[in-house]
Amino acid sequence: GKKKLDPETLFAKMTGAWRLNQAGADEVWYFSPDRTYVKIKRYDEEYGTWGFDGKQVILTDMKTKESIGNEVVLDNNILILNSTSLMKDSLAVKEVEEKLSEKLVGVWKSQIDDTEYEFRPNNFMLVRYADEMTEDGIWKIEGNQLIENELASSKAPIYFDDNQMQWSAQTFNRVGDVDPSLTPTT
């Protein structure tokens, strides 16, 4: 049955990963508890925020700032947004994390203070500060959230727009790739 869901129930049920419910589809969605989302199609991502206005789920695209109201039906493990039918899929979380990790690996410079983050494929990272000091650490992606050194306080959604990355309140520019010979394999 399609019963009206209150926003709290809908929020709890929508959070997590979903896959487009049609044969041959290569599209996954991840709705984070912090009300951000990522939609990953084969070569293309959409990042934004999600919420409710009483009757609809409102998706706001980070790039275009366009908000779209979606009629929502939730029936067991099927979520229908307007005419898009998605199926709950916990395995899709790993796909989202892999895709975002792949995009993250590289060297990124903060637009605020010239701090450089070098994210390496094995979750090792270097942070180079403008005063030449360098720290090492670890990074991890959970859902669409980047976490630095296992610190819950650093956990924030990441968004990519070509050679820019938004992480928490900071914007970073990609300034290079990682030298694979520098990456320890242990």
Side-chain angles (χ1 to χ4, degrees):
K2 299 174 187 177
K3 56 183 189 301
K4 288 292 288 164
L5 292 168
D6 62 287
E8 268 174 45
T9 307
L10 192 55
F11 176 78
K13 289 188 179 290
M14 262 183 77
T15 302
W18 300 80
R19 185 177 304 280
L20 192 61
N21 191 19
Q22 67 191 53
D26 189 0
E27 181 175 313
V28 293
W29 293 63
Y30 178 80
F31 294 99
S32 177
D34 75 354
R35 306 247 171 159
T36 56
Y37 76 89
V38 58
K39 171 174 119 180
I40 298 177
K41 288 174 126 170
R42 223 171 248 110
Y43 302 110
D44 180 50
E45 301 93 43
E46 177 185 311
Y47 303 91
T49 57
W50 64 286
F52 309 103
D53 76 349
K55 293 181 187 64
Q56 295 189 316
V57 172
I58 307 298
L59 300 178
T60 303
D61 186 311
M62 283 293 286
K63 273 185 210 176
T64 64
K65 306 290 185 232
E66 187 183 355
S67 293
I68 296 172
N70 293 267
E71 295 298 324
V72 62
V73 176
L74 195 58
D75 199 358
N76 293 327
N77 289 332
I78 303 287
L79 170 68
I80 301 171
L81 296 174
N82 287 342
S83 59
T84 304
S85 177
L86 303 168
M87 212 163 99
K88 191 85 171 187
D89 183 355
S90 57
L91 297 177
V93 177
K94 194 169 166 32
E95 280 180 51
V96 169
E97 293 170 347
E98 283 170 2
K99 180 70 165 184
L100 296 179
S101 294
E102 204 176 280
K103 290 188 88 78
L104 180 66
V105 167
V107 183
W108 298 86
K109 183 181 273 199
S110 169
Q111 287 185 353
I112 296 172
D113 60 8
D114 284 345
T115 301
E116 270 188 13
Y117 279 80
E118 183 174 319
F119 296 100
R120 296 185 178 175
N122 62 349
N123 300 86
F124 178 77
M125 72 180 191
L126 284 176
V127 185
R128 282 185 284 281
Y129 298 95
D131 65 6
E132 303 291 310
M133 209 184 99
T134 301
E135 281 179 355
D136 59 26
I138 53 172
W139 63 273
K140 164 168 105 178
I141 289 183
E142 262 179 23
N144 66 339
Q145 314 276 311
L146 175 58
I147 304 168
E148 182 178 3
N149 293 327
E150 307 276 343
L151 295 170
S153 61
S154 74
K155 185 175 185 172
I158 54 174
Y159 301 104
F160 295 95
D161 186 357
D162 293 325
N163 287 319
Q164 282 195 331
M165 169 182 65
Q166 185 80 33
W167 177 29
S168 191
Q170 286 197 65
T171 302
F172 294 84
N173 295 320
R174 182 183 285 280
V175 292
D177 296 319
V178 176
D179 179 347
S181 68
L182 295 176
T183 306
T185 50
T186 49

